[in-house]
Amino acid sequence: MSVIIGVDIGTSVTKAVAFDSEGTPLASAARRSRLDRLSGSRVEQDIDDVVRTVAEVVRETAAALPEPPVALALTGQGDGLWLRDADGRAVRPAISWMDGRASERVAAWLRDGTVREVYGHTGSGMFPGCHAPLLAHLQEHEPQTLRRAVTAGYCVDAVAQRLTGRVSVDASDATLPFLDPVSRTYSREALAACGIEDLAHLLPAPAEPGALLPLDAIGAGLLGLPEGLPLTAGPYDLPACALGSGVREVGDGLLIVGTTLACQVLTDEVRSDPSAEPAGMWLCTPDPGRWLRSMPAMVGTAALEWVLALTGTTTADLDRLLADSPPGANGVTALPFLSDAGERAPFVDPAARGRLDGLSLAHTPADAVRAMCEAIGYAARHCLESAGLTGTLAACGGGTRSGPWAQLFADILGRPVRIPQESEVGALGAVRVARRFLGEPPETKAQLFRTVEPRPASRAVYEDGYATYRSALDGARAQWGDATSR
């Protein structure tokens, strides 16, 4: 039995799970990492603190095994900007994908056509927490930081470099917004459109599929594992979750209901539509002829937690609250765009903001909570339609643990939702990639799911609700545009 430890380095929690050759979890551990929320919509992380969480969860998980694992598989949060020197040390705190300091720059690029031009070259949209606006922001405000940097990377490759001494960026991480997903090379035209072609030397070429990195003496010492143990760095969490959730056939999709929504559909071709919204991206997978059309929205459980706090309730009350308000929330509606950085899929607008409509003294906290849950469901449908979902749909993430909310998603989407019994699908997906790269056979045991079927009785309510949501969104986008143009 060969055991591989998968490590999912989330934004606020790092988890490790040891899986055997059939995908059965044997041991696990989790640690919280620090997320620094600063003035000016800035969100940063300390690389050393993140590496600490990785070392602690790997050590704890490995200690529960009868013998050392045969490999380590890393996945984790994507985007953001993790600048390092030649030794892998941070030249400044890592800038999170949740960061909003470059929002005005993205808004300006939307107005002057830069976002659409880049989209035409790479098929990727942009949002404030990705490389392009962040590098442009630092070029103006922290040029000395960029002069000290050797690598402009991401979370997973930053951790991998500290453990192996090598820089290896997975093509999925490198996608947004400069990578041509077919050739897997950076578009010089996209870099030039953003005015940062002189920073191209900071972007490592994507690693070839199959790359294995050996733990060096420093990494082995941190983790308590043998030096030379093979490590895989990626794909990052979105494609890793797709692989761990059993998304295998073209047209199949995945809905991740986490802090944010991430909607993806597997495809065997990259289709460029110049008239489409310049949003989302084509994520490379370990198979060169397969991509994930991804629409990673900024809405998700964070919006739900906000309205729960507003009503003096918690996630422990969610199932009861959903039961206390009928489909349609007694006429209360919502727009769930509460991120400081606005929205990034299926449209890009740094000025996007949320709202609750239709409230009166006759309404209850349950109506407000259900309205927000329904709005998040409508946002998921909007993203999945934009991504081209035609096949089966899997779902994962903390939001799927609520039976009533999972039912709400199935009802709004009008299709069955398959939820894997294994909750840590990101770590499992990374382990499946590592096992393949090691030349080991895939699992033979069938993956287990629970399936939530849509209820016909709710169909008409949610069809009308979705139409109302899209109409309200169109109106709000016009208002946001008027506000940012002044």
Side-chain angles (χ1 to χ4, degrees):
M1 178 181 70
S2 64
V3 176
I4 298 175
I5 295 179
V7 182
D8 189 346
I9 312 163
T11 304
S12 56
V13 178
T14 299
K15 300 174 183 177
V17 186
F19 292 98
D20 69 13
S21 55
E22 290 296 344
T24 303
L26 305 176
S28 64
R31 292 290 187 282
R32 295 198 68 84
S33 53
R34 195 177 78 243
L35 193 66
D36 297 322
R37 294 183 178 273
L38 310 170
S39 62
S41 300
R42 294 173 298 154
V43 185
E44 299 182 344
Q45 287 196 272
D46 181 345
I47 293 180
D48 290 339
D49 181 63
V50 173
V51 171
R52 170 194 62 80
T53 66
V54 172
E56 290 179 2
V57 297
V58 170
R59 279 181 171 271
E60 182 176 334
T61 303
L65 302 175
E67 57 187 38
V70 300
L72 191 66
L74 301 185
T75 186
Q77 58 177 298
D79 297 309
L81 183 60
W82 298 61
L83 290 168
R84 291 107 65 189
D85 63 17
D87 297 321
R89 297 290 171 179
V91 299
R92 68 164 337 278
I95 302 177
S96 169
W97 60 271
M98 301 172 70
D99 193 273
R101 75 188 70 193
S103 293
E104 291 184 4
R105 189 173 300 272
V106 174
W109 283 352
L110 282 166
R111 290 193 297 269
D112 68 16
T114 298
V115 170
R116 182 162 291 282
E117 181 179 353
V118 172
Y119 182 80
H121 292 300
T122 67
S124 285
M126 275 192 268
F127 73 107
C130 74
H131 266 44
L134 291 175
L135 285 170
H137 179 88
L138 294 185
Q139 184 173 247
E140 179 180 353
H141 297 284
E142 295 184 31
Q144 71 284 358
T145 297
L146 295 176
R147 286 193 291 270
R148 293 198 305 272
V150 172
T151 302
Y154 307 84
C155 174
V156 174
D157 62 277
V159 172
Q161 186 176 5
R162 294 288 286 273
L163 300 178
T164 68
R166 302 186 186 185
V167 177
S168 181
V169 176
D170 189 81
S172 62
D173 249 329
T175 297
L176 190 71
F178 302 124
L179 195 74
D180 178 332
V182 177
S183 67
R184 299 194 178 209
T185 58
Y186 295 113
S187 166
R188 301 291 301 193
E189 294 83 1
L191 286 157
C194 298
I196 54 176
E197 62 269 34
D198 291 344
L199 302 179
H201 65 281
L202 296 177
L203 304 176
E208 292 294 327
L212 294 170
L213 310 174
L215 286 183
D216 64 12
I218 294 174
L222 281 170
L223 304 181
L225 295 175
E227 186 174 352
L229 187 81
L231 174 150
T232 55
Y236 84 99
D237 56 5
L238 297 193
C241 284
L243 293 166
S245 297
V247 175
R248 293 191 177 92
E249 302 299 326
V250 170
D252 289 352
L254 174 67
L255 167 63
I256 304 174
V257 188
T259 303
T260 60
L261 293 178
C263 302
Q264 308 171 83
V265 175
L266 188 64
T267 179
D268 57 3
E269 61 177 332
V270 174
R271 299 179 298 276
S272 179
D273 181 1
S275 65
E277 288 262 8
M281 61 272 208
W282 301 91
L283 289 175
C284 295
T285 74
D287 293 305
R290 294 284 180 93
W291 297 266
L292 285 160
R293 182 57 173 152
S294 179
M295 292 288 170
M298 296 294 282
V299 304
T301 59
L304 170 62
E305 289 164 2
W306 178 87
V307 76
L308 287 169
L310 189 70
T311 57
T313 55
T314 70
T315 53
D317 302 307
L318 178 59
D319 290 4
R320 173 184 61 80
L321 290 165
L322 289 175
D324 288 346
S325 179
N330 288 315
V332 180
T333 62
L335 292 180
F337 309 107
L338 299 180
S339 169
D340 287 345
E343 187 51 275
R344 61 177 175 174
F347 62 92
V348 176
D349 195 330
R353 292 296 179 263
R355 70 190 197 198
L356 282 166
D357 288 325
L359 287 166
S360 74
L361 292 175
H363 288 107
T364 67
D367 294 326
V369 170
R370 175 172 273 277
M372 188 62 74
C373 286
E374 289 179 347
I376 295 168
Y378 295 140
R381 177 170 169 178
H382 193 185
C383 286
L384 288 165
E385 287 178 352
S386 300
L389 177 67
T390 58
T392 63
L393 178 67
C396 64
T400 62
R401 298 190 190 110
S402 166
W405 202 15
Q407 182 66 64
L408 186 153
F409 277 108
D411 292 345
I412 287 176
L413 295 169
R415 62 173 63 238
V417 177
R418 302 167 67 239
I419 301 173
Q421 288 194 7
E422 171 54 52
S423 60
E424 299 304 330
V425 292
L428 177 58
V431 164
R432 285 174 170 168
V433 171
R435 202 170 294 284
R436 173 179 167 182
F437 289 179
L438 289 167
E440 296 191 1
E443 304 154 20
T444 58
K445 185 176 69 175
Q447 188 168 5
L448 299 178
F449 298 84
R450 65 180 174 92
T451 300
V452 182
E453 297 284 349
R455 297 174 298 187
S458 302
R459 188 67 180 155
V461 172
Y462 286 130
E463 283 300 309
D464 290 344
Y466 183 56
T468 299
Y469 168 85
R470 292 294 301 272
S471 177
L473 176 57
D474 289 343
R477 292 186 67 183
Q479 293 174 349
W480 300 332
D482 289 343
T484 56
S485 64
R486 288 197 291 266

